[in-house]
Amino acid sequence: MKLTAQLAWRFLKARRARSLFAVIGISLGVMLLIISQIMMATLEQSNEKSVLEKYGNFDLISGYNGSTKKLSANDLQTIKGFPDVNQITPMLFPYASENMPAAVAAQPVYIGFKHNQLAMEHPLVSIDKGEFPQSKEVVIPARYAKSKGLDIHSEISLPFPPGKDVNVRVSGILNEREQLNNIFIFDYDWIAAQTHNQNKATAVMMKLDQSADKQKVIEDLKEHFEGISIDKRKAMMTEKEQLGGLKPIVNGLSITVLLGSLLIVVSTLQMSVQERQKELATLRLLGGKPAQLFYMVIWEALLIGIMAALLGTVTGTVLCYSLSNIAEQFIGYSIQSISIPAISIIISFFGSILLTVLAATIPALSTSRLSPIAAYSQKISESKADSKRTIIALTMILLLLAIMTFSVHKSGGSGSFSILLGVSFVLIMFVMTPVILRIIVTVLTFLLRPFYQMESMIAGRNALKRMRRSQQIARVLTLAVIVGLVGFMILQAVVSQTEKTISKQYPLDYVIQATEASYEPGFSSSIIKQLDNTNGVEAIPVQTSILTHTINLDIKRVDSNWNGQFMTINGKKEILTSVGGLNLEKVQNIIPFDIVKGRIDHLRDYEAVITKQFSEDIGFRVGDVVTLEPDDLSEVSGKKPFTLRVVGVVDEVPILPDEDLRFFTNENTLNELFHLQKTEQIFFNIKDQSEKGHIKASIEKLLENPQYQDTILYDRKEEMDKFYQQYKQRIVLLGSSVFIITLIALVGLMNSMASNLRESKKEFAMMRAIGGKPWQIVRLALYEGIVISVAGSIMGLISSIVLGYNLLSALDVNNLEIPYMVILIILLISPLLGILSTLPSALWLSKSNLIRAVFED
């Protein structure tokens, strides 16, 4: 064994350049693997703090939120006694949504928290100014404080039915966020006593032991408490454990890059075997056993693997420190300090060496089966030609899979079956690489023949003659194209779908909202004119709607499956609705929507438009005259009933997608009926993005005017910006991985072409002897590199399109757009790779004395 190792080391040193290329190729894969492990550990550590700030450092919330049912003191003790529960703290919603008193319904939601560390972890307890409330104190929303002109130490009177109203002092103001706009926070013990809920809780927050089994706690809760709701905090766990989806992507790309490195190992060792035909034959003739030749190649792979693992690990670790600022800039995570996961790095180090050795078994087996006589006579031992039947069968399977792919995609996709189709196609493409490569090289040679007949023909033949060597490089290039193109297709599909979802949720980027916490909030409509006069602003005002209920509703026309609530008026069932003024024509011009029936333009007084859902649920149709009366909760209650004539039905109003029980009329109707000129919301876009900061600042300054103190501005574009940040993260990771795989392919191609040109020295010497010019030798060498790189890229494009179709079908993406521009870029880059990989060796060869070099060999 010692002699075998020594021979492997001598053979390794004999071809230093080739061995160096192999070490660099593998070390690139190891380097990316090490970088990904260190960066993910670092990002997880940095992300931990931001996730806990966003979601709170607790594990479960369980209770009866929205129900009149409460947890008793004994229930709380039972939960606290669960083996895996470390801490608990109760939450109290004294007035459930079921049968909520009208006086409380007009107020923000009352919530009671205990003043302890665990309660402070809840995202709702986000106090911007002031302190946690004590007895007879409250923390109020920033929006409410602004609308009422309140500040710390201000006093307000709040209802606490069935008891009397109570004067409470403002102890704090919540952060200015939309989700905090409608809550009051009280001391748990005080509000429990005030509402006769002592020793009761609506829900309970739980912090589990570090080694706790969350699922076991959930099962215990379900077993002890029937019908209890449980917030498992999946969103927090997903973001905490997977960095919003980055971790599986990074790990998957790292493994893919390492796979590309292993293909280089196979290619390099195959070249090593072919270049040492005589030496290996001599060893066999001197009595060397096949097992000794096998272990010699394994030893060579082990040495290459160790050197590559050392180089990749050191380089990757050093780069992590220098790349921390880039990661923070492009990936969007703040990095405080680099975290080194020692166990992961050790596993990656030895794992890469093991995989290198395993990859070497393919050329090692071919070496052990080497015929000494054939090798000594320089007849390269090639594998037997593939059976024609096998080739035809595999080709038919490929065609069948391709046809099935497009059929399944057209029919709407079929999840796991689509994935199986795509993966099967790619695997068969890899198995058939020699056959497909031969076909593509032949076609490329034919296409190049009219331009440079001799060079293209010889280059094609050389590429075909060295097919065993070329196919591994082609596979690496195919892998790079698959990762890049399929990754880009999936990202683009996700971007397109998410853009549609977010655009539906936030159709315009900004909204000015009333700060009143009432059923009919509003502010002065004079701001609309000022916005309309602001250059670059496109605004849609929404008039404050009034609460109404129907009179003489035809109950027979109401859909029996409607899950809304009826109210009893004069012994009859009626429904609660609202009536608001909105210029639907203006909305249609900015955000197009479907008009199902009737019209929306030129609405006259007392004409209204409803949504399709409203029409289907309640049974109103175009032409119906509906009688309405202001509800008791409305600020215009007591006014006379009025009628509206339905003249149009729309699919939904984009800026108010959840308003399915609203009558949309013109802005003059409410003014004529009730002298109401208030605005509830103003949606607007800033068309000129270069002026975005200036315009937004001027609008914020305008809202500081005392007459607009009951308004607040929200930048709803932040959600889209957050998504684009995630998209940029994935593009950076994908691009980095494709770049490294391409580098690996380039290193392997340079190694392969250097060996190819060394083998062809006799042919080139003959060309020089008959008058060939040095530039002709260079061009011939370049052609061979171009043919191999382009052939590998074409294989990758074919595989990517079929795999991409199937993966997108599995994701239910129906409108697939083939990225023609990316395909064109790949086709333009692939010949450049061939030129770069071949040019150094070709230039060296053209300047050397080939005839003397042949005689020296």
Side-chain angles (χ1 to χ4, degrees):
M1 188 63 72
K2 182 179 179 181
L3 178 61
T4 304
Q6 289 175 344
L7 285 173
W9 176 248
R10 288 179 182 178
F11 282 142
L12 196 65
K13 289 197 299 181
R15 298 292 187 190
R16 290 184 181 86
R18 174 183 53 73
S19 302
L20 180 61
F21 277 128
V23 170
I24 292 173
I26 301 167
S27 66
L28 285 171
V30 177
M31 181 187 73
L32 182 65
L33 189 63
I34 296 299
I35 289 175
S36 68
Q37 295 295 326
I38 294 176
M39 293 307 291
M40 285 311 302
T42 301
L43 292 175
E44 283 176 341
Q45 185 182 49
S46 300
N47 191 51
E48 179 85 10
K49 183 179 179 181
S50 62
V51 170
L52 292 180
E53 287 178 354
K54 180 178 178 181
Y55 294 100
N57 188 15
F58 61 98
D59 301 295
L60 290 171
I61 297 181
S62 184
Y64 300 103
N65 189 18
S67 169
T68 54
K69 193 173 182 180
K70 299 281 193 301
L71 293 166
S72 66
N74 289 334
D75 294 334
L76 295 176
Q77 286 300 319
T78 300
I79 294 172
K80 189 175 182 180
F82 288 165
D84 292 323
V85 174
N86 185 292
Q87 289 177 273
I88 68 166
T89 188
M91 298 168 57
L92 178 63
F93 294 77
Y95 302 105
S97 57
E98 298 178 9
N99 304 318
M100 181 178 288
V104 178
Q107 302 292 336
V109 178
Y110 293 3
I111 309 177
F113 286 98
K114 277 189 174 292
H115 193 190
N116 56 41
Q117 184 60 42
L118 184 56
M120 296 303 101
E121 295 292 340
H122 199 289
L124 294 181
V125 187
S126 180
I127 302 174
D128 181 42
K129 293 194 306 182
E131 300 174 347
F132 190 84
Q134 297 179 11
S135 176
K136 280 194 173 185
E137 291 185 341
V138 64
V139 175
I140 61 176
R143 171 178 166 179
Y144 187 91
K146 185 175 181 182
S147 67
K148 302 293 185 181
L150 303 174
D151 207 340
I152 306 298
H153 306 309
S154 297
E155 286 198 0
I156 53 175
S157 178
L158 296 177
F160 289 91
K164 298 179 181 179
D165 291 358
V166 178
N167 288 328
V168 295
R169 189 176 70 90
V170 176
S171 70
I173 298 175
L174 294 168
N175 279 300
E176 198 171 286
R177 295 205 301 266
E178 282 189 87
Q179 60 267 39
L180 303 179
N181 277 342
N182 198 37
I183 62 169
F184 280 162
I185 294 179
F186 297 91
D187 175 71
Y188 170 85
D189 294 317
W190 180 80
I191 197 172
Q194 189 68 33
T195 58
H196 308 295
N197 283 296
Q198 292 96 330
N199 299 318
K200 293 180 181 178
T202 311
V204 59
M205 294 170 57
M206 285 170 271
K207 176 69 176 172
L208 308 183
D209 293 327
Q210 289 187 350
S211 60
D213 183 352
K214 182 183 283 189
Q215 189 58 40
K216 177 65 169 59
V217 177
I218 292 171
E219 290 173 0
D220 289 342
L221 286 168
K222 290 180 178 179
E223 181 181 344
H224 285 79
F225 306 99
E226 184 179 355
I228 196 168
S229 64
I230 302 170
D231 179 3
K232 301 177 183 178
R233 318 209 73 212
K234 288 184 178 180
M236 183 192 77
M237 295 308 299
T238 300
E239 191 168 336
K240 185 177 178 180
E241 294 177 359
Q242 297 190 356
L243 287 173
L246 282 182
K247 191 171 185 177
I249 293 175
V250 170
N251 290 339
L253 291 174
S254 301
I255 292 170
T256 304
V257 172
L258 194 57
L259 178 60
S261 299
L262 298 179
L263 290 173
I264 295 298
V265 174
V266 176
S267 175
T268 301
L269 293 178
Q270 282 179 340
M271 284 186 280
S272 177
V273 171
Q274 290 180 5
E275 290 173 2
R276 297 198 305 255
Q277 294 288 308
K278 280 191 176 182
E279 292 93 332
L280 296 172
T282 302
L283 287 174
R284 288 295 308 278
L285 293 173
L286 291 175
K289 297 179 180 179
Q292 289 177 310
L293 298 184
F294 176 87
Y295 287 117
M296 186 178 68
V297 175
I298 294 296
W299 268 107
E300 187 173 352
L302 179 62
L303 294 171
I304 290 173
I306 291 172
M307 288 187 286
L310 285 170
L311 179 62
T313 302
V314 173
T315 306
T317 305
V318 171
L319 281 176
C320 278
Y321 285 93
S322 57
L323 290 175
S324 59
N325 291 332
I326 296 177
E328 187 168 345
Q329 180 179 355
F330 287 98
I331 300 181
Y333 288 99
S334 177
I335 296 176
Q336 306 298 327
S337 61
I338 298 295
S339 176
I340 305 294
I343 296 176
S344 297
I345 290 179
I346 292 171
I347 292 173
S348 300
F349 179 85
F350 288 105
S352 62
I353 295 173
L354 178 61
L355 289 174
T356 303
V357 173
L358 291 175
T361 57
I362 298 173
L365 286 171
S366 65
T367 304
S368 65
R369 296 170 183 169
L370 187 67
S371 169
I373 302 300
Y376 202 79
S377 61
Q378 288 292 285
K379 292 180 180 178
I380 298 174
S381 176
E382 295 282 356
S383 59
K384 294 182 180 180
D386 294 315
S387 166
K388 287 185 178 180
R389 291 183 180 179
T390 304
I391 294 172
I392 293 172
L394 289 173
T395 304
M396 293 301 294
I397 292 174
L398 279 177
L399 291 173
L400 179 63
L401 289 173
I403 293 170
M404 290 175 67
T405 291
F406 292 105
S407 299
V408 170
H409 183 74
K410 289 293 182 183
S411 63
S414 180
S416 57
F417 181 66
S418 294
I419 296 174
L420 181 63
L421 278 179
V423 173
S424 300
F425 186 90
V426 172
L427 290 177
I428 294 176
M429 283 286 287
F430 269 80
V431 171
M432 290 186 64
T433 295
V435 177
I436 297 171
L437 199 59
R438 191 175 290 115
I439 295 170
I440 296 175
V441 168
T442 303
V443 172
L444 289 174
T445 302
F446 176 77
L447 293 175
L448 288 172
R449 190 173 296 173
F451 303 100
Y452 301 101
Q453 184 172 358
M454 183 186 72
E455 287 91 339
S456 64
M457 187 182 301
I458 296 174
R461 287 178 179 175
N462 286 341
L464 293 173
K465 183 174 66 175
R466 291 183 273 265
M467 185 58 66
R468 290 185 64 192
R469 186 178 299 171
S470 303
Q471 63 182 336
Q472 305 301 345
I473 307 302
R475 282 174 177 146
V476 179
L477 285 168
T478 299
L479 190 66
V481 173
I482 289 174
V483 171
L485 187 56
V486 173
F488 183 81
M489 289 169 71
I490 292 175
L491 281 177
Q492 285 301 106
V494 171
V495 167
S496 177
Q497 188 64 35
T498 306
E499 280 179 339
K500 291 178 182 177
T501 303
I502 295 178
S503 296
K504 183 177 180 180
Q505 186 178 4
Y506 305 125
L508 282 86
D509 295 338
Y510 303 91
V511 60
I512 298 173
Q513 213 168 37
T515 57
E516 284 185 86
S518 66
Y519 287 118
E520 297 173 351
F523 51 87
S524 172
S525 60
S526 62
I527 191 175
I528 297 169
K529 292 180 180 179
Q530 298 184 61
L531 283 178
D532 287 339
N533 293 329
T534 304
N535 291 330
V537 174
E538 191 174 48
I540 301 176
V542 179
Q543 191 176 13
T544 296
S545 60
I546 63 166
L547 285 173
T548 62
H549 57 254
T550 58
I551 296 179
N552 298 322
L553 175 69
D554 188 351
I555 198 69
K556 295 178 182 178
R557 295 173 67 175
V558 178
D559 187 349
S560 59
N561 295 319
W562 182 56
N563 58 4
Q565 291 184 342
F566 291 99
M567 57 191 305
T568 304
I569 305 290
N570 297 326
K572 292 188 61 180
K573 286 186 176 180
E574 305 290 348
I575 61 167
L576 190 68
T577 66
S578 65
V579 180
L582 179 63
N583 189 336
L584 290 172
E585 292 177 79
K586 192 171 186 179
V587 177
Q588 172 80 337
N589 291 333
I590 298 176
I591 317 165
F593 57 88
D594 293 334
I595 302 171
V596 178
K597 197 171 183 180
R599 61 182 175 84
I600 65 169
D601 55 326
H602 306 298
L603 293 182
R604 294 190 289 271
D605 292 348
Y606 306 106
E607 288 186 340
V609 174
I610 61 175
T611 65
K612 179 183 176 182
Q613 192 66 50
F614 194 178
S615 176
E616 291 175 349
D617 289 340
I618 310 303
F620 294 138
R621 307 284 187 268
V622 171
D624 287 353
V625 176
V626 183
T627 304
L628 302 168
E629 182 180 37
D631 191 75
D632 291 340
L633 295 175
S634 173
E635 62 182 73
V636 294
S637 61
K639 297 286 185 178
K640 293 181 180 180
F642 61 97
T643 60
L644 293 176
R645 183 171 178 268
V646 178
V647 297
V649 176
V650 299
D651 186 28
E652 74 174 11
V653 179
I655 61 172
L656 300 168
D658 299 324
E659 294 291 341
D660 287 332
L661 293 178
R662 179 178 291 198
F663 291 91
F664 297 96
T665 184
N666 66 15
E667 297 175 355
N668 186 58
T669 297
L670 296 185
N671 182 35
E672 187 170 310
L673 281 169
F674 311 111
H675 306 290
L676 188 66
Q677 286 186 312
K678 288 201 306 181
T679 300
E680 178 183 335
Q681 294 173 302
I682 301 177
F683 295 90
F684 68 93
N685 275 338
I686 298 175
K687 293 184 287 186
D688 188 354
Q689 290 300 305
S690 63
E691 294 292 323
K692 172 185 170 182
H694 172 71
I695 293 174
K696 185 180 177 183
S698 65
I699 292 174
E700 288 174 339
K701 187 174 182 180
L702 174 64
L703 295 179
E704 291 176 2
N705 192 305
Q707 64 176 316
Y708 304 129
Q709 66 176 4
D710 50 354
T711 65
I712 196 163
L713 173 66
Y714 289 115
D715 184 350
R716 310 190 84 170
K717 192 173 178 293
E718 290 177 355
E719 188 71 18
M720 186 69 84
D721 291 340
K722 177 183 176 182
F723 165 71
Y724 280 124
Q725 178 64 37
Q726 294 175 344
Y727 172 66
K728 187 167 71 171
Q729 294 167 3
R730 285 147 181 78
I731 283 291
V732 169
L733 292 172
L734 181 65
S736 302
S737 300
V738 172
F739 177 71
I740 291 180
I741 296 177
T742 305
L743 275 182
I744 292 171
L746 182 62
V747 169
L749 195 54
M750 291 178 73
N751 200 1
S752 177
M753 292 309 302
S755 182
N756 289 353
L757 297 182
R758 193 180 297 111
E759 280 187 5
S760 302
K761 280 195 292 186
K762 288 184 179 180
E763 298 171 21
F764 293 136
M766 184 64 69
M767 286 180 61
R768 292 294 303 275
I770 62 176
K773 303 297 183 183
W775 56 265
Q776 288 179 307
I777 294 174
V778 173
R779 191 164 63 190
L780 177 60
L782 293 180
Y783 269 22
E784 186 175 348
I786 290 171
V787 165
I788 294 172
S789 62
V790 172
S793 297
I794 291 174
M795 280 181 58
L797 289 174
I798 295 170
S799 302
S800 298
I801 291 172
V802 175
L803 180 60
Y805 257 96
N806 280 294
L807 291 179
L808 292 175
S809 294
L811 293 171
D812 295 326
V813 178
N814 297 320
N815 298 322
L816 174 64
E817 295 181 5
I818 297 177
Y820 294 105
M821 185 57 66
V822 178
I823 292 174
L824 180 61
I825 292 172
I826 291 171
L827 290 175
L828 291 175
I829 290 176
S830 58
L832 293 178
L833 288 177
I835 293 172
L836 288 173
S837 65
T838 312
L839 192 58
S841 299
L843 290 174
W844 169 80
L845 193 64
S846 67
K847 294 177 182 179
S848 63
N849 190 332
L850 290 173
I851 298 176
R852 187 173 67 183
V854 169
F855 280 111
E856 287 176 354
D857 284 348

